């Protein structure tokens, strides 16, 4: 397997060096593996910290900047960051108004962020957390770790980031973050497995004629395997899974997200089908994103995330944002 | 030479043996994880235990308790994922339970491992049967406690614990995962050994290795009179 790397051990730090070189608006602490805004914390503004395994670029480091995150802690590939990173990030962004941790619901992320929040609180920083768990593929939450956090993480980071930028207090930022999560659902499909640099070969085998339905974002196999089919039918399967869990209506924010190995032309083919499905429900994609935002290395496939908008969420989504991965209005 | 003395050097040897076997088995652990997780378990543990060697060299803890606590903190700081906090907590709880004794009795070792198990279960809220490391750790702790209660020598007690851990890991194969990332697979997690249970079995196998009197080659002789020498 060919990868553009220097060595398996240095992938994450080498990528961070590149991020630092490419984006002077960010300050990258390669030793501590954290990325913060170069402008530093703004007094009185709630700080937003997120993080997770690397391999999902631009999530999360690519969403650090005005209107979105204040800091990101990238872990090793597909491995959650460690509490030291999160504590360093939390301290670096604390402007005295408290810090919100945005955590995807994966056991490792949850445990490490919990430990970091406790330790930061002992240091006198007010820390709140929001758990993102939007993946409808995980149905039986009673006997599992609960739904995974996937595409809605971007929505939460953007909208809570906009709210924090207004100078809103921590409870308000927490409220809106929770609301975005509650109104968002995702479902993913893989056409191929991904290859982590350390493993050097695909994490699972998929025949040319097969797909995985209900994948997460870590290269883990999905819930069911099925025969490959056309984009229209695939989009319908995905949208029905979402609609069944959360009836879709009205104005929505829709992301057709590539998993890293699928060209944009195919993502737009999918988006056309998604838009048709929404129309059939009397809904519209009032706001949309098409592209690679929450990826899984070189995995082929896509996920769809739908958020049911209201006036407040729409306004906050439209607010200016300036990050390496998302940028408008400024 | 009789039974092992459970002093700081013994625990350091145990950690060294874990580091060696995790290094040797990391590809197998990662393969197990690829089947039902995200293919990083071996690499992560290897990174953590490699960092421990450095941490122990820098600090040279002078009691078993301080050593295990440092091991735990280093795992939390270096490993990430779920295994970092879980194994980190296990070693930290074990270390704290040993307080500052310089030589650990058999009963104290049992107490330390019971504390480790309790810490893991509290943090991960997993029970036996959920297809996690608890399925190897819980039976190992029970077997160790029972062997010590029966007055077995350390080699036999560690042997019982290691066997129970290996059997416990093996028993995760037909289970359906209910915790951790494998739980997302539902019924498809059946038929694969849990990587966390497998690494826990490695850790207890390492205990057996260091508890056996280190005579050159061959199987070591049993304790001279069966009296618990630790």
């Amino acid at each position: 397997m060919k990868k553009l790397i220097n060595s398996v051990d240095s992938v994450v730090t080498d990528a961070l060096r590149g991020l630092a070189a490419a984006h002077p608006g960010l300050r990258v602490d390669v030793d501590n593996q954290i990325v913060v805004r170069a402008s530093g914390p703004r007094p009185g503004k709630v700080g937003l910290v997120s993080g997770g395994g690397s391999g999902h670029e631009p999530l999360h480091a690519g969403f650090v900047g005005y209107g979105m995150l204040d800091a990101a802690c990238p872990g090793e590939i597909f491995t959650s960051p460690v509490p030291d990173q999160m504590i360093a990030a939390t301290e670096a962004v604390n402007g005295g108004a408290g810090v919100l941790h945005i955590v995807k619901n994966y056991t490792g992320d949850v445990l490490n962020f919990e430990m970091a929040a406790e330790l930061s609180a002992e240091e006198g920083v007010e820390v709140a957390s929001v758990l993102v768990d939007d993946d409808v593929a995980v149905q039986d939450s009673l006997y599992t770790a609960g739904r995974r956090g996937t595409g809605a993480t971007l929505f939460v980071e953007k909208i809570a980031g906009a709210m924090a930028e207004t100078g809103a207090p921590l409870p308000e930022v927490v409220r809106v973050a929770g609301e975005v999560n509650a109104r968002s659902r995702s479902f993913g499909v893989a056409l191929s497995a991904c290859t982590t640099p350390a493993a050097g070969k695909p994490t699972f085998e998929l025949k040319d004629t097969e797909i995985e339905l209900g994948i997460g974002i870590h290269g883990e196999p999905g819930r069911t395997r099925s025969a490959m089919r056309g984009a229209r039918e695939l989009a319908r399967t995905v949208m029905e899974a979402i609609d069944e869990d959360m009836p879709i209506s009205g104005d929505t924010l829709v992301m057709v997200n590539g998993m890293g190995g699928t060209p944009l032309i195919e993502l737009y083919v999918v988006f056309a089908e998604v838009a048709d499905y929404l129309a059939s429900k009397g809904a519209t994609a009032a706001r949309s994103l098409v592209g690679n935002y929450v990826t899984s290395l070189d995995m082929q496939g896509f996920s769809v995330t739908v958020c049911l908008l209201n006036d407040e969420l729409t306004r906050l989504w439209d607010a200016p944002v300036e990050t390496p991965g998302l940028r408008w209005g400024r | 030479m009789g039974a092992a003395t459970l002093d700081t050097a013994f625990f350091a040897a145990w950690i060294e043996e874990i580091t060696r076997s995790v290094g040797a088995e990391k590809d197998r652990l990662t393969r197990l994880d690829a089947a039902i997780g995200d293919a990083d378990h071996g690499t992560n543990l290897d990174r953590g235990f490699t960092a421990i060697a450095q941490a122990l060299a820098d600090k040279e803890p002078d009691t078993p308790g301080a050593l295990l606590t440092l091991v735990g903190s280093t795992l939390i700081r270096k490993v990430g994922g779920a295994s970092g906090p879980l194994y980190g907590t296990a070693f930290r709880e074990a270390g704290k339970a040993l307080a500052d004794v310089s030589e650990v009795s058999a009963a104290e070792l049992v107490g330390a491992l019971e504390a480790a198990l309790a810490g893991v279960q509290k943090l991960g809220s997993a029970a036996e049967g959920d297809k996690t490391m608890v399925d190897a750790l819980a039976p190992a702790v029970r077997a160790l406690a029972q062997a010590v209660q029966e007055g077995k020598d350390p080699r036999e007690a560690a042997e019982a614990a290691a066997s129970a851990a290996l059997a416990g890991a093996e028993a995760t194969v037909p289970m359906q995962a209910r915790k951790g990332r494998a739980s997302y697979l539902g019924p498809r997690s059946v038929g694969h050994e849990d990587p966390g249970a497998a690494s826990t079995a490695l850790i207890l196998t390492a205990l057996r290795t260091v508890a056996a009197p280190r005579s050159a080659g061959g199987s070591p002789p049993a304790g001279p009179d069966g009296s618990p020498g630790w």
Side-chain angles (χ1 to χ4, degrees), chain A residues 76 78-84 105-108 111-112 115 138 143-146 148 203 212 218 220-225, chain B residues 34-35 37-40 43-44 47 76-82 85-86 89 123 177-178 180-181 183-186 188:
Chain A
E76 294 301 315
F78 291 171
T79 301
S80 83
V82 294
D84 278 7
N105 192 26
Y106 277 99
T107 310
L111 294 183
N112 285 283
M115 295 197 153
V138 181
Y143 293 110
T144 72
R148 294 174 289 217
T203 50
E212 285 273 345
H218 295 85
E220 67 265 51
R223 224 170 148 80
T224 51
R225 190 162 288 194
Chain B
D38 58 354
D40 63 3
T43 345
N44 283 347
R47 186 174 57 247
I76 291 172
R77 285 185 29 240
K78 296 292 178 191
V79 175
L86 289 168
T89 297
L123 188 62
R178 292 192 297 225
R181 204 165 282 169
S183 67
Y184 299 126
L185 286 178
R188 296 168 81 203

Side-chain angles (χ1 to χ4, degrees), chain B residues 102-125:
Chain B
S102 56
E103 209 171 290
V104 175
S105 72
E108 284 166 338
L109 180 67
V110 171
L113 291 189
E114 282 171 346
L117 174 63
V120 165
Q121 290 197 281
K122 180 159 178 267
L123 188 62
S125 51

Side-chain angles (χ1 to χ4, degrees), chain A residues 281-306:
Chain A
K281 291 281 161 184
T284 55
R287 301 290 184 275
S288 54
L289 280 183
V290 181
N292 290 293
Y293 294 101
V294 184
T295 58
S296 195
L297 292 171
D298 55 357
M299 181 183 276
Q300 282 180 278
F302 71 99
S303 63
V304 178
T305 305
V306 178

Side-chain angles (χ1 to χ4, degrees), chain A residues 10-28:
Chain A
S10 70
V11 175
V12 175
T13 47
D14 288 348
L16 287 177
R17 287 197 299 119
L19 189 75
H23 301 285
L26 302 182
R27 187 171 67 73
V28 180

